[in-house]
Amino acid sequence: MESSTITLIITGVTIVCFITEVIPIAVTAISSALAMAIFGVISFGDAFSGFSHDVPMMLTGACILGEALFETGAAEKLGEIVVRIAGKNQKIFTAVMFLLSAVMSSLLSNTAVVAAMLPIISAAAATSKGKLTKKNTFMAVGIGANLGGSLTLAGSSTNMIGQGILAEAGVETMSFFDLTMGSIPRLIFCTLFYLTVGEALQNKVFSFVEVSETTVASQSETASSKSNGRMWLSIIILVGTIVGFATETWTFGTVAMVAGVLCIITKCISIKAVYQRMDWTTIWVVAGSLGFACGLDKSGAGKLIADTAIKLVGSNMSNYTFLILFSVLSVLLANFMSSTATMAMLAPIGIFMARGLGFDPKALVMALVWCINLAFATPVGTPPITMTLSGGYSFKDYVKVGGILVVCCTVITILSYPLLFDLK
Amino acid sequence: MEQSTVALIIVGVALVSFATEIIPLSITAVGACVAMVMTNILTFTEAFSGLSSPTMMLGIGMGIMANGMMDCGLANKVGIFIISKFKTERPFMTVVFLTSAFLSAFLSNFAVTATFMGLISAIAIKSEGRITRKNCFFALLLGSVLGGSCTLVGSTPNISVQAIMEATPGVTPMTFFTLAPGGVIIVLFTAILLNTVYYPLAKRFFAFEDVPYEGNLPEMDIPWNRDMTISCISMAWCIINFVGGWINIGITAIVAGMITVIFKVVDRKTFWKGVEWEALIIMGAAIGFANGVNISGAGKIISDFIINLFGGIDTASPVILLTAIMVAGTILTNIMSNTAVGVMLAPIAIMTAQSVGAKPETFAIGVIMCAGFSFATPIATASATLIMSAGYKFRHYLIVGGTLTVLIMIFSCIVLPLVYGL
């Protein structure tokens, strides 16, 4: 059998397992990478490279830092400040956090923004005495980071890859704010969503019990009374980490690991507590889906899907149909494959076809950027979304809430094309 | 600053930290890695490549599976099945030793010790004084510690040394059963020692009253259940593949682990709790330290020093060098963590071997073996501390354990070169 066929079968089984959750999603993620390796689609090294990838490291470091903040009592302080600024109204809080994450990730790395925001939100949730919940906010932060990634050219690595492919093709490249106009309507829509029906819908869908830090928080009282110094120390480490994420002198994983190591060395948290509270599920899902995405890319299965779709529509399409086709295709693929791989795969085909149709290649790549950044209908689409799994969501929760938003945003984006581009 | 100077500083700090354990070993190892990345000595991928190596996957997979075997009572059942057949103390003690050695070749040494302590106590109470805990517990310690040196996953130093072997050029890493020939010979030799040297010594020195067992006695009559069947199947799958070598060991172990999770032998929400993360992270990050030792030249300085101590590069005999390293390792492992000894000594041992043209693999295996000779003090390893509940004092470990350590070490120094070559 062709390796692309095998991959498609594995992908199908994986999706079914993810949605039904007959086995825990961490196990599904690892098993999918494992299956790719066993059937020879990718090498062992590729399948498990996720475990030593930068993202899981960053997640681990951020997780340790987050726990340390709670342990030392710093979380309470931070939480109070955040709550004082953003208020205790869940709707407003979610919307503010959503916008904050979007604005920050328009310049910074999406993953780093989420990694830095999640512990602070946990802190706010813990101090709000049940008025604010993590489950109502985490996913919004992940979605915000995703949408914010397409606000500017520097927003995410996907954009840069698209830019690179444009430059390589020798056509006009994007300027820094070219992408902004297309992203704003979607941001406004999602903000309105969170301010209005969002909370009611989320309360209905996220029926699971809030992942609480109450046990940790109660311990932290004793810890904080013991040492005020540690509290400030952990806050300094947090600030240093955020600065490290922003300056990008070292990789995010390195910065986060330094933070984690410092937290343990300075006894802000004990190694025992770290192993106990580490969010292994999320780490496993990240690591596993990196391997899985690698297989989808290397086996040519993604390309097979793209080719089939293009064949189905036929070659005599209008410019608008052409854009819609690539938009829908990229949204579908990006929710399972890595964003960068989707871009690297679709952009060259698209540019080639655009030239044939006499259509502006730059417009196509911009459409791709917008749509690839709509990867939040599953938790495995992109690392910033996967990281929000620590809010306790299951796969279906992403499909329901994230999925609705993805569909709406896709429609909005497609509807805005005639206003943004010359489609004649 | 020169890269080698920076590396030397990192190695120095790491060595002190490994030896004193002021901060957890895993954090020292990760810290060394991170420091190497930040000073551009290693790239991020190089420094953390150990975390996605087959050995890591082996550790995770086997950890989950082993946890399943404990949870479903299979380990207990095997233990009871074998040891309850023996009614007098000397054969009983020997069988306890052999069974615990066999099990701890695959399961965690500590878990085996804890399980068997319960089983022995239950049998000792029924034996009306014919079987005493004080005589058997020490044999159990020997079995669980020495058995751990028989396979790649048997004990924590093994995988750390393996990671270092993988990272050092010119060294062939071990397969799953590379350690088995040497390990099994040492176990069998110790079985003889137990009957000849240990038993009279124990009778003489363990003169205190047998301490009654506190706590719940384990269930002695466990019915066979479905989980046990699944555990057996996944264990068989692992061993067949490890012996045959058709599929990558990492994949084999992860498959076994996933089977135990999917069939709910272990709790599906918390299955990763059974994995010995501390050991695995030390393993994954050991490469950072090992590279530091090589790049900084610290390894070269120390190994040259050792070689010169024994007559210089032309006259120093490999056998004597190996013996010297093993003596040092044996002393260190009784006061330090076994894993720390493995991580610290392995790069030096490999470099020494390469300098004099001996087989570095044999030296690395020597380090693993001597890191397992940890029964001459109660703080040598967690299992050694655990058996103190039988009433032993520090001097009992030193006299009885110490005597055995010396004999076993001399024997290994002769046998290892014969088995693995120089």
Side-chain angles (χ1 to χ4, degrees):
Chain A
M1 236 192 306
E2 290 273 333
S3 68
S4 57
T5 323
I6 299 173
T7 314
L8 283 181
I9 297 171
I10 296 174
T11 311
V13 176
T14 307
I15 294 174
V16 171
C17 288
F18 268 142
I19 293 177
T20 55
E21 282 191 54
V22 275
I23 49 178
I25 57 172
V27 178
T28 307
I30 295 293
S31 302
S32 66
L34 193 64
M36 299 261 193
I38 291 177
F39 289 106
V41 179
I42 44 175
S43 68
F44 175 88
D46 284 335
F48 290 103
S49 59
F51 278 88
S52 58
H53 194 270
D54 201 53
V55 177
M57 294 292 163
M58 174 171 168
L59 189 55
T60 312
C63 185
I64 298 174
L65 177 60
E67 295 294 350
L69 286 174
F70 273 96
E71 197 81 349
T72 56
E76 274 171 83
K77 278 259 148 56
L78 282 174
E80 277 165 25
I81 298 169
V82 174
V83 170
R84 206 178 299 146
I85 298 167
K88 277 193 188 175
N89 182 316
Q90 177 73 58
K91 278 182 192 170
I92 296 172
F93 184 74
T94 312
V96 168
M97 290 301 140
F98 167 78
L99 279 177
L100 186 63
S101 139
V103 171
M104 289 207 294
S105 43
S106 67
L107 292 171
L108 305 173
S109 147
N110 304 353
T111 326
V113 168
V114 175
M117 283 184 72
L118 294 188
I120 299 174
I121 292 171
S122 305
T127 39
S128 73
K129 303 205 171 66
K131 293 213 176 77
L132 302 174
T133 56
K134 292 202 286 184
K135 61 179 181 181
N136 269 321
T137 324
F138 270 27
M139 197 187 280
V141 169
I143 293 175
N146 237 292
L147 287 174
S150 55
L151 262 175
T152 69
L153 185 59
S156 78
S157 50
T158 323
N159 313 3
M160 301 312 296
I161 289 185
Q163 180 80 337
I165 294 171
L166 276 177
E168 217 170 279
V171 293
E172 193 198 343
T173 53
M174 298 178 272
S175 68
F176 197 76
F177 289 108
D178 267 353
L179 291 163
T180 316
M181 277 314 285
S183 300
I184 288 176
R186 311 189 303 188
L187 276 179
I188 296 174
F189 171 80
C190 290
T191 314
L192 290 176
F193 169 83
Y194 283 118
L195 283 173
T196 55
V197 291
E199 197 192 0
L201 178 72
Q202 290 194 341
N203 279 337
K204 210 176 147 208
V205 176
F206 306 155
S207 50
F208 56 89
V209 183
E210 166 87 349
V211 184
S212 83
E213 252 116 11
T214 42
T215 48
V216 190
S218 60
Q219 286 169 5
S220 75
E221 275 163 35
T222 49
S224 61
S225 59
K226 255 186 273 165
S227 152
N228 218 344
R230 293 237 164 83
M231 186 185 88
W232 287 108
L233 204 58
S234 60
I235 292 178
I236 292 168
I237 297 174
L238 174 71
V239 173
T241 311
I242 294 173
V243 172
F245 281 163
T247 53
E248 299 194 31
T249 317
W250 296 295
T251 67
F252 299 127
T254 315
V255 173
M257 286 312 264
V258 171
V261 167
L262 284 178
C263 286
I264 297 168
I265 291 179
T266 54
K267 298 212 168 72
C268 285
I269 187 165
S270 73
I271 188 97
K272 272 226 177 84
V274 167
Y275 287 127
Q276 234 162 39
R277 304 205 200 112
M278 181 64 69
D279 187 8
W280 295 112
T281 304
T282 311
I283 294 173
W284 284 51
V285 174
V286 172
S289 50
L290 284 171
F292 173 72
C294 176
L296 211 50
D297 185 31
K298 285 210 172 161
S299 67
K303 199 166 177 314
L304 188 70
I305 298 172
D307 288 345
T308 318
I310 292 164
K311 234 177 249 158
L312 280 177
V313 180
S315 52
N316 281 329
M317 51 185 139
S318 74
N319 285 344
Y320 200 20
T321 327
F322 169 68
L323 270 186
I324 294 174
L325 171 69
F326 270 85
S327 303
V328 174
L329 205 54
S330 57
V331 171
L332 284 179
L333 289 174
N335 274 290
F336 290 97
M337 279 175 66
S338 99
S339 311
T340 45
T342 313
M343 178 56 95
M345 192 185 81
L346 286 181
I349 313 175
I351 292 176
F352 179 76
M353 289 178 70
R355 279 178 169 161
L357 290 166
F359 183 69
D360 180 13
K362 187 179 93 171
L364 171 88
V365 172
M366 283 163 66
L368 284 180
V369 169
W370 289 323
C371 292
I372 288 171
N373 279 312
L374 296 176
F376 38 84
T378 72
V380 294
T382 159
I385 286 289
T386 315
M387 291 172 86
T388 62
L389 267 177
S390 52
Y393 309 109
S394 65
F395 195 91
K396 276 181 286 189
D397 297 335
Y398 289 89
V399 178
K400 285 179 187 158
V401 176
I404 290 174
L405 289 175
V406 166
V407 172
C408 294
C409 288
T410 314
V411 172
I412 294 172
T413 312
I414 289 175
L415 288 178
S416 65
Y417 289 154
L419 302 171
L420 296 164
F421 306 128
D422 178 17
L423 291 174
K424 298 259 164 62
Chain B
M1 241 194 300
E2 288 277 318
Q3 272 206 344
S4 61
T5 325
V6 180
L8 195 64
I9 295 169
I10 298 173
V11 168
V13 175
L15 269 178
V16 173
S17 176
F18 271 136
T20 54
E21 272 189 76
I22 350 173
I23 54 174
L25 293 175
S26 58
I27 298 304
T28 307
V30 172
C33 268
V34 172
M36 296 281 183
V37 175
M38 295 179 83
T39 50
N40 289 325
I41 296 173
L42 293 178
T43 67
F44 187 85
T45 325
E46 280 168 351
F48 289 102
S49 60
L51 289 176
S52 58
S53 66
T55 317
M56 180 76 182
M57 297 305 130
L58 179 73
I60 295 178
M62 293 294 279
I64 297 172
M65 193 184 74
N67 209 33
M69 292 176 75
M70 286 296 180
D71 278 1
C72 71
L74 185 63
N76 269 27
K77 192 160 176 79
V78 171
I80 294 166
F81 179 77
I82 301 174
I83 67 176
S84 61
K85 302 245 181 319
F86 297 85
K87 303 290 178 209
T88 48
E89 191 167 48
R90 199 186 278 236
F92 177 79
M93 172 199 79
T94 316
V95 171
V96 163
F97 168 77
L98 291 173
T99 319
S100 61
F102 170 73
L103 286 176
S104 78
F106 301 97
L107 307 176
S108 133
N109 299 354
F110 185 77
V112 169
T113 312
T115 310
F116 270 70
M117 279 171 61
L119 300 181
I120 294 169
S121 305
I123 292 173
I125 288 170
K126 282 192 208 141
S127 75
E128 291 154 355
R130 271 175 292 127
I131 291 169
T132 55
R133 296 167 69 229
K134 58 182 185 182
N135 286 344
C136 296
F137 273 22
F138 214 87
L140 165 64
L141 170 65
L142 289 168
S144 65
V145 172
L146 292 174
S149 305
C150 290
T151 68
L152 187 53
V153 295
S155 179
T156 52
N158 310 10
I159 51 170
S160 305
V161 174
Q162 167 82 344
I164 292 169
M165 290 169 82
E166 279 170 357
T168 318
V171 182
T172 321
M174 298 178 281
T175 62
F176 192 81
F177 286 113
T178 302
L179 288 168
V184 170
I185 291 175
I186 293 174
V187 166
L188 293 178
F189 173 74
T190 311
I192 299 169
L193 276 188
L194 278 180
N195 281 292
T196 51
V197 180
Y198 165 79
Y199 200 63
L201 270 179
K203 286 244 152 177
R204 214 174 126 207
F205 284 103
F206 298 161
F208 51 87
E209 276 291 302
D210 210 26
V211 182
Y213 185 69
E214 288 161 11
N216 297 328
L217 287 174
E219 188 66 49
M220 293 301 279
D221 195 23
I222 316 162
W224 189 264
N225 57 35
R226 169 186 155 278
D227 289 358
M228 292 185 184
T229 318
I230 293 164
S231 284
C232 283
I233 293 170
S234 44
M235 188 74 204
W237 148 266
C238 282
I239 292 182
I240 289 169
N241 276 313
F242 290 153
V243 175
W246 299 291
I247 304 177
N248 178 309
I249 51 171
I251 293 182
T252 305
I254 287 279
V255 167
M258 292 299 121
I259 290 173
T260 24
V261 180
I262 291 171
F263 288 99
K264 299 186 191 173
V265 178
V266 287
D267 184 75
R268 293 166 84 178
K269 286 236 147 83
T270 55
F271 63 88
W272 46 78
K273 294 245 162 95
V275 178
E276 292 186 56
W277 291 113
E278 174 76 10
L280 286 177
I281 289 169
I282 297 171
M283 187 279 290
I287 294 173
F289 177 75
N291 270 311
V293 171
N294 290 334
I295 294 169
S296 64
K300 187 98 187 79
I301 297 168
I302 301 174
S303 68
D304 281 352
F305 173 76
I306 298 172
I307 294 169
N308 286 329
L309 209 62
F310 294 98
I313 210 145
D314 300 319
T315 44
S317 120
V319 181
I320 292 177
L321 288 175
L322 178 64
T323 310
I325 289 172
M326 287 186 70
V327 170
T330 309
I331 295 169
L332 287 176
T333 193
N334 279 295
I335 47 179
M336 274 168 53
S337 135
N338 300 2
T339 319
V341 171
V343 176
M344 286 166 64
L345 280 187
I348 295 168
I350 290 172
M351 189 155 282
T352 311
Q354 284 175 335
S355 303
V356 296
K359 261 180 90 175
E361 293 83 4
T362 311
F363 276 64
I365 291 167
V367 170
I368 293 177
M369 294 297 174
C370 71
F373 299 157
S374 49
F375 32 79
T377 66
I379 52 154
T381 169
S383 299
T385 318
L386 196 63
I387 62 157
M388 279 187 99
S389 66
Y392 307 116
K393 295 279 175 300
F394 195 90
R395 61 172 192 281
H396 296 126
Y397 286 88
L398 208 57
I399 296 169
V400 179
T403 313
L404 291 171
T405 305
V406 171
L407 292 173
I408 295 171
M409 204 194 63
I410 294 171
F411 178 75
S412 326
C413 292
I414 299 165
V415 157
L416 289 181
L418 293 176
V419 176
Y420 296 102
L422 279 171

